[in-house]
Amino acid sequence: MRIWCFDCFIDDVDEEGRLKQSAMDNNNDEDVEFDLDEREVGGVLNSEDEMLATEEEEEDIAELEQLWSFEIHSQRLVLQGESSNATAAAGAVGEDCKMEEADHDSYHKRAKVYSALACSDAGNSGSSVERSVSFGVDSSSSSRTDADMFCQNFILNYSRKDGKKDEGDDNGSSESEDFEVHIDLTDDLLHMVFSFLNHVDLCRSAMVCRQWRVASSHEEFWKVLNFENMRISVEQFEDMCLRYPNATEVNVYGTPAVNALAMKAATTLRNLEVLTVGKGHISENFFQALGECNMLRSVTVNDAILGNGAQEIHLSHDRLRELKITKCRVMRLSIRCPQLRSLSLKRSNMSQAMLNCPLLQLLDIASCHKLLDAAIRSAAISCPRLESLDVSNCSCVSDETLREIAQACAGLHILNASYCPNISLESVHLPMLTVLKLHSCEGITSASMTWIANSPALEVLELDNCNLLTSVVLHLSRLQSISLVHCRKFTELNLQSVMLSSITVSNCPALRRITITSNSLRRLALQKQENLTTLVLQCQSLQEVDLSDCESLSNAVCEIFSDDGGCPMLKSLILDNCESLTEVRFCNSSLASLSLVGCRAVTSLELKCPRIEQICLDGCDHLETAFFQPVALRSLNLGICPKLSVLNIEAPYMVSLELKGCGVLSEASIICPLLTSLDASFCGQLRDDCLSATTASCPLIESLVLMSCPSIGSDGLSSLNGLPNLTVLDLSYTFLMNLEPVFKSCIRLKVLKLQACKYLTDTSLEPLYKEGALPALEELDLSYGTLCQTAIDDLLACCTHLTHLSVNGCVNMHDLDWGSTNVQLFDYFGLNSSSDNTQEQAETANRLLQNLNCVGCPNIRKVLIPPAARFYHLSTLNLSLSVNLKEVDLACSNLVLLNLSNCCSLEVLKLGCPRLASLFLQSCNMDEAGVEAAISGCCSLETLDLRFCPKISSVSMARFRAVCPSLKRVFSSPNLAD
């Protein structure tokens, strides 16, 4: 008796060359024998150098083939223990090759698995030639099957790569033991693992060893025989049926001999319960043979020709409960199944179906275009217990047929009459109907709703693409779902149902009025109803409403969603692109999210929603007044409302407010006790009194941005003393002349930005470096200012606590020379060298500066920072766009990044920066020797940018890498001159 490997049945492999899987005899010792002839065994193939093999190598190949053939047909294949010693002499072929302790323990019988290809000795030459074994497949195939590997492993267990016996090493172990894999599993555990495998993998597992073969052939794994779209012969299928006579489910769909296999399954497997056939010719004898399968419960015939296609097919079975004959070609069907519950004839082209199925509950004859109205009526009324009927795409169905079906099948619950153009449901009474589908029924009109209303149990109603339907008025207490999509003439929807939970209305361009009453509706989506003007809702459980692109909705919609409206549980409201809204006012105690994206006509917004946490106003370009009293917002961005002039916010939980760009904002009342960040940049009309009121009501502000607020003066800045936690203050682009209020009020300030403050004088910053103002200051930005060189030098000398300093674009910034020989260091820094505490001052002069930015300073010609300058923490120095810079000499032990890009006058570069990692020299005129000398002392340099440097050629990159081995990335222009 045979079990066939599933690889034999796959379409993409030629059946003539496939393996006939291991013949398993029923003898007691459970030996495994391979029923292979010389044609099926591909033998041992040479490697890529086969054409160049010597005569001695060819003799070795023949010798190995002889050994293989003898072992397959004559010897017992024992998969256990250590590899036996194989002899290279030709006379040893006839001797038994036995392995130690072959019968010791069946749980430990394993074959040695090798990861390499089979190799044979090359005779006396001593060279090894790679071989491959073709096992039941064409030798030209590029992929090897599991059977190939099994056979190669067998050869390797009895031969050596070097042609010698496996005599072991000094320790008494074999050299091949490094490739051995031993896996010991109990039967129960192995059974559990195999339960997750499909049949193909089970067949492959059966080739591993005796224990796995026994475990994989367990009957429990083979109760379902699925051969769908496999190339299996009748002989192979018969062997499988004899091997597993208790199989309960068979699928032979798409097999070459589908009719013969189906007949064999019906006549051989007495416990068969489920049978699937199709994609071929099915004879009438098959249906007669089904009567002998007493245990059969389900039959599926798909995409087949029944009989000769022009004869009547009879099917009679006393226990069959489910039958599917779909996409089949047949003239007439006669079915007598007294226990049948479900019958599907979908897309079959028979002209008549005679049913004798008194217990039938589900009948599907969808898309049976040749069935006439009378035939459909006859088939349906013969099933008095029918509960579900699908006659979709049966264009012959009429109202008269539906009326008779309704009378004969009083218990009908589900009716699908979609794409039936001749029905209007006139006088059709279906009191038990729960699901009604009427897609694309051209005869359905508003008058049909009267007859639909006579189905009090109706739960699901689908009316998509009913083009003549103009209105739907239904009061059905059990209605749960309704769908109205692409109803072009539909104008009014009026629904009353306490159980209504789902409404789908889309692409109904004529819809103007919607009235809904429901206690179960939680979500309502009415997108793109361009003409919708009236919306009346009484939905006590409604939580989400989406009215996007309802362009005709007026301001009256706000009353519906207020506390006095009909949606007391509303949490989310989307009114995107409702362009007719001008004034939005909501007073709702449950609303948590509101979206008004694209409502460009809205000029006034008033929210009294104490639970609202999210609001989106993108595109509300014309908003002028906004009142948020009270709201639960935590953050709000009104910078997208450039016309906002009046703002009133009462938000007890708000921590971030952005008003950036509200250029006409003149009145602002901000009561946010937890506010920590306020960005009012470019609010040109914001005055001192507004700032004072804000600081009084928001005492926890930590970051305040007043960039380009020219109306803010000393009075407003004096009110900052009410902000004890203020650490970031941005006064850039203002007209301030006196910073005294800032120095007195902001004791904890860490970041001060004064970009482009043109009216600040040289003495404006004297409190910083003379009086010790702002002791916590770490970052100072004086970019594009008018401060003189002396003021900048004093800042650098005395404000040693600064970590970030930016003087970008300062035209008064001259040389940064801290190594002048004619000026004492401490005199240069403004310190008194004759004082007794000179030593103490020198020790405290260590700077904390980490980042120094001098971008675009045209008057800097020289930068000299010696070790005595004490810039021990400087890590970033940016001098880019300093077009007149000629000399840079740095000795900064912690400098990591130096940017000298576009310093086109640079000639001298000296670097004593052992930790420098990135150096940018774009568009510099330095020559190769200068760059080489500069980077020679930078042992940590990884990135060097030399793009657009005219004096450096691309061939010099190798020299730079040799000088600085740590370099990882060197950027250069491809068209540099040599």
Side-chain angles (χ1 to χ4, degrees), residues 808-933:
N808 303 325
C810 291
V811 294
N812 295 328
M813 185 72 177
H814 297 286
D815 296 349
L816 297 176
D817 187 355
W818 287 290
S820 177
T821 58
N822 59 352
V823 179
Q824 294 295 327
L825 180 63
F826 299 111
D827 290 341
Y828 184 84
F829 289 156
L831 299 177
N832 187 0
S833 59
S834 62
S835 174
D836 295 335
N837 60 353
T838 300
Q839 183 64 28
E840 180 181 355
Q841 290 176 337
E843 292 177 356
T844 60
N846 293 337
R847 292 167 181 77
L848 300 178
L849 192 64
Q850 299 176 8
N851 292 281
L852 177 59
N853 295 316
C854 302
V855 178
C857 297
N859 294 321
I860 295 182
R861 291 177 172 80
K862 181 179 180 181
V863 176
L864 176 59
I865 305 179
R870 300 177 183 272
F871 281 98
Y872 298 142
H873 300 279
L874 186 64
S875 61
T876 301
L877 178 59
N878 192 346
L879 297 168
S880 60
L881 295 172
S882 298
V883 294
N884 293 315
L885 181 63
K886 294 184 177 181
E887 181 181 353
V888 175
D889 188 351
L890 304 177
C892 302
S893 59
N894 288 310
L895 190 66
V896 176
L897 186 147
L898 175 60
N899 191 348
L900 296 172
S901 299
N902 295 287
C903 296
C904 52
S905 300
L906 185 64
E907 298 176 356
V908 179
L909 178 60
K910 298 179 181 180
L911 300 177
C913 307
R915 296 187 180 181
L916 186 66
S918 300
L919 176 60
F920 298 91
L921 296 172
Q922 292 185 36
S923 303
C924 292
N925 287 323
M926 290 192 64
D927 56 15
E928 297 175 358
V931 174
E932 184 176 345

Side-chain angles (χ1 to χ4, degrees), residues 213-232:
R213 175 177 63 81
V214 174
S216 64
S217 61
H218 195 280
E219 188 176 34
E220 183 178 343
F221 302 144
W222 299 91
K223 288 187 177 181
V224 178
L225 304 181
N226 187 358
F227 299 98
E228 182 175 350
N229 294 320
M230 290 186 180
R231 182 172 297 180
I232 178 174

Side-chain angles (χ1 to χ4, degrees), residues 39 151 377 390 457 515 535 962:
R39 179 178 56 84
C151 293
R377 183 189 317 161
D390 189 346
T515 303
L535 181 63

